[in-house]
Short mmCIF file of all heavy atoms in Angstrom, two decimals:
data_model
loop_
_atom_site.label_atom_id
_atom_site.label_comp_id
_atom_site.label_asym_id
_atom_site.label_seq_id
_atom_site.Cartn_x
_atom_site.Cartn_y
_atom_site.Cartn_z
N VAL A 18 15.21 -1.79 -10.10
CA VAL A 18 15.32 -1.97 -8.66
C VAL A 18 16.72 -1.61 -8.18
O VAL A 18 17.66 -1.55 -8.97
CB VAL A 18 14.98 -3.42 -8.23
CG1 VAL A 18 13.61 -3.84 -8.73
CG2 VAL A 18 16.06 -4.41 -8.68
N ASN A 19 16.82 -1.38 -6.89
CA ASN A 19 18.13 -1.25 -6.23
C ASN A 19 18.37 -2.56 -5.51
O ASN A 19 17.73 -2.84 -4.49
CB ASN A 19 18.10 -0.08 -5.24
CG ASN A 19 19.38 0.00 -4.41
OD1 ASN A 19 20.33 -0.76 -4.63
ND2 ASN A 19 19.40 0.90 -3.44
N PRO A 20 19.29 -3.39 -5.99
CA PRO A 20 19.48 -4.71 -5.37
C PRO A 20 19.97 -4.63 -3.93
O PRO A 20 19.87 -5.61 -3.19
CB PRO A 20 20.51 -5.38 -6.28
CG PRO A 20 21.21 -4.26 -6.98
CD PRO A 20 20.18 -3.18 -7.14
N SER A 21 20.48 -3.46 -3.54
CA SER A 21 20.98 -3.29 -2.16
C SER A 21 20.00 -2.51 -1.29
O SER A 21 20.37 -2.03 -0.21
CB SER A 21 22.33 -2.57 -2.20
OG SER A 21 23.28 -3.29 -2.96
N ALA A 22 18.77 -2.36 -1.74
CA ALA A 22 17.79 -1.59 -0.98
C ALA A 22 17.62 -2.17 0.42
O ALA A 22 17.47 -3.38 0.58
CB ALA A 22 16.46 -1.59 -1.72
N PRO A 23 17.64 -1.32 1.45
CA PRO A 23 17.46 -1.81 2.81
C PRO A 23 16.01 -2.19 3.09
O PRO A 23 15.10 -1.75 2.40
CB PRO A 23 17.88 -0.61 3.67
CG PRO A 23 17.59 0.57 2.80
CD PRO A 23 17.87 0.13 1.40
N LYS A 24 15.80 -3.00 4.11
CA LYS A 24 14.46 -3.40 4.53
C LYS A 24 14.09 -2.63 5.80
O LYS A 24 14.93 -2.32 6.64
CB LYS A 24 14.39 -4.90 4.81
CG LYS A 24 14.93 -5.79 3.69
CD LYS A 24 14.10 -5.71 2.43
CE LYS A 24 14.60 -6.71 1.38
NZ LYS A 24 13.89 -6.62 0.10
N GLY A 25 12.78 -2.35 5.94
CA GLY A 25 12.32 -1.69 7.16
C GLY A 25 11.22 -0.69 6.88
O GLY A 25 10.87 -0.41 5.74
N GLY A 26 10.69 -0.10 7.94
CA GLY A 26 9.73 0.98 7.81
C GLY A 26 8.34 0.52 7.39
O GLY A 26 8.09 -0.66 7.13
N THR A 27 7.44 1.49 7.33
CA THR A 27 6.04 1.24 7.00
C THR A 27 5.61 2.15 5.85
O THR A 27 5.82 3.36 5.90
CB THR A 27 5.14 1.50 8.22
OG1 THR A 27 5.49 0.59 9.27
CG2 THR A 27 3.67 1.30 7.86
N LEU A 28 5.01 1.55 4.85
CA LEU A 28 4.39 2.30 3.75
C LEU A 28 2.90 2.34 4.02
O LEU A 28 2.25 1.29 4.16
CB LEU A 28 4.67 1.61 2.42
CG LEU A 28 3.94 2.18 1.20
CD1 LEU A 28 4.44 3.59 0.88
CD2 LEU A 28 4.11 1.27 -0.01
N VAL A 29 2.34 3.55 4.09
CA VAL A 29 0.91 3.71 4.34
C VAL A 29 0.28 4.36 3.13
O VAL A 29 0.71 5.43 2.68
CB VAL A 29 0.65 4.57 5.60
CG1 VAL A 29 -0.85 4.57 5.93
CG2 VAL A 29 1.45 4.05 6.78
N MET A 30 -0.74 3.71 2.60
CA MET A 30 -1.38 4.17 1.37
C MET A 30 -2.90 4.14 1.52
O MET A 30 -3.43 3.52 2.45
CB MET A 30 -1.00 3.27 0.19
CG MET A 30 0.47 3.15 -0.08
SD MET A 30 0.81 2.20 -1.60
CE MET A 30 0.25 0.58 -1.10
N GLU A 31 -3.56 4.80 0.57
CA GLU A 31 -5.00 4.64 0.42
C GLU A 31 -5.25 3.38 -0.41
O GLU A 31 -4.41 2.99 -1.22
CB GLU A 31 -5.60 5.84 -0.30
CG GLU A 31 -5.42 7.15 0.43
CD GLU A 31 -5.47 8.32 -0.53
OE1 GLU A 31 -6.60 8.74 -0.86
OE2 GLU A 31 -4.41 8.80 -0.94
N PRO A 32 -6.42 2.76 -0.26
CA PRO A 32 -6.75 1.64 -1.16
C PRO A 32 -6.74 2.13 -2.60
O PRO A 32 -7.16 3.25 -2.89
CB PRO A 32 -8.17 1.25 -0.72
CG PRO A 32 -8.28 1.74 0.68
CD PRO A 32 -7.46 2.99 0.73
N PRO A 33 -6.24 1.32 -3.52
CA PRO A 33 -6.24 1.74 -4.93
C PRO A 33 -7.66 1.86 -5.45
O PRO A 33 -8.59 1.25 -4.91
CB PRO A 33 -5.48 0.61 -5.63
CG PRO A 33 -5.62 -0.57 -4.73
CD PRO A 33 -5.68 -0.03 -3.34
N PRO A 34 -7.88 2.65 -6.51
CA PRO A 34 -9.23 2.80 -7.07
C PRO A 34 -9.78 1.45 -7.53
O PRO A 34 -9.03 0.57 -7.90
CB PRO A 34 -9.01 3.73 -8.25
CG PRO A 34 -7.73 4.44 -7.96
CD PRO A 34 -6.90 3.45 -7.22
N PRO A 35 -11.12 1.25 -7.54
CA PRO A 35 -12.11 2.23 -7.12
C PRO A 35 -12.12 2.40 -5.62
O PRO A 35 -12.00 1.44 -4.87
CB PRO A 35 -13.43 1.62 -7.61
CG PRO A 35 -13.18 0.15 -7.61
CD PRO A 35 -11.73 -0.01 -7.99
N GLU A 36 -12.27 3.64 -5.15
CA GLU A 36 -12.20 3.95 -3.74
C GLU A 36 -13.29 3.23 -2.97
O GLU A 36 -14.43 3.13 -3.40
CB GLU A 36 -12.34 5.46 -3.51
CG GLU A 36 -11.30 6.30 -4.23
CD GLU A 36 -11.74 6.68 -5.63
OE1 GLU A 36 -12.73 6.10 -6.12
OE2 GLU A 36 -11.11 7.56 -6.23
N LYS A 37 -12.93 2.70 -1.80
CA LYS A 37 -13.90 2.05 -0.92
C LYS A 37 -13.70 2.60 0.47
O LYS A 37 -12.60 3.04 0.84
CB LYS A 37 -13.68 0.53 -0.91
CG LYS A 37 -13.81 -0.15 -2.27
CD LYS A 37 -13.45 -1.61 -2.16
CE LYS A 37 -13.51 -2.32 -3.50
NZ LYS A 37 -13.09 -3.74 -3.39
N ASN A 38 -14.76 2.56 1.28
CA ASN A 38 -14.61 3.04 2.65
C ASN A 38 -14.59 1.91 3.66
O ASN A 38 -14.53 2.15 4.86
CB ASN A 38 -15.70 4.06 3.00
CG ASN A 38 -17.10 3.53 2.71
OD1 ASN A 38 -17.31 2.33 2.70
ND2 ASN A 38 -18.03 4.44 2.46
N SER A 39 -14.66 0.66 3.18
CA SER A 39 -14.57 -0.47 4.08
C SER A 39 -14.40 -1.75 3.27
O SER A 39 -14.29 -1.72 2.04
CB SER A 39 -15.81 -0.57 4.98
OG SER A 39 -15.60 -1.55 6.00
N TYR A 40 -14.39 -2.88 3.99
CA TYR A 40 -14.32 -4.19 3.34
C TYR A 40 -14.93 -5.21 4.30
O TYR A 40 -15.06 -4.97 5.50
CB TYR A 40 -12.87 -4.56 3.02
CG TYR A 40 -11.94 -4.60 4.21
CD1 TYR A 40 -11.76 -5.76 4.96
CD2 TYR A 40 -11.23 -3.46 4.61
CE1 TYR A 40 -10.91 -5.79 6.06
CE2 TYR A 40 -10.39 -3.47 5.71
CZ TYR A 40 -10.23 -4.64 6.43
OH TYR A 40 -9.40 -4.66 7.52
N ASP A 41 -15.32 -6.35 3.76
CA ASP A 41 -15.92 -7.39 4.60
C ASP A 41 -15.38 -8.78 4.25
O ASP A 41 -15.94 -9.78 4.66
CB ASP A 41 -17.45 -7.38 4.49
CG ASP A 41 -17.95 -7.60 3.07
OD1 ASP A 41 -17.17 -8.09 2.22
OD2 ASP A 41 -19.13 -7.28 2.80
#
């Protein structure tokens, strides 16, 4: 890790496998 890593922003990802197209 970088102990001085700044905070902020948005990480946008796909759901991890197994792939799903929704959730309930």
Side-chain angles (χ1 to χ4, degrees):
V18 305
N19 173 5
S21 301
K24 309 294 185 184
T27 298
L28 173 67
V29 187
M30 303 186 292
E31 299 156 82
E36 302 89 347
K37 300 175 182 177
N38 53 25
S39 189
Y40 58 89
D41 59 18

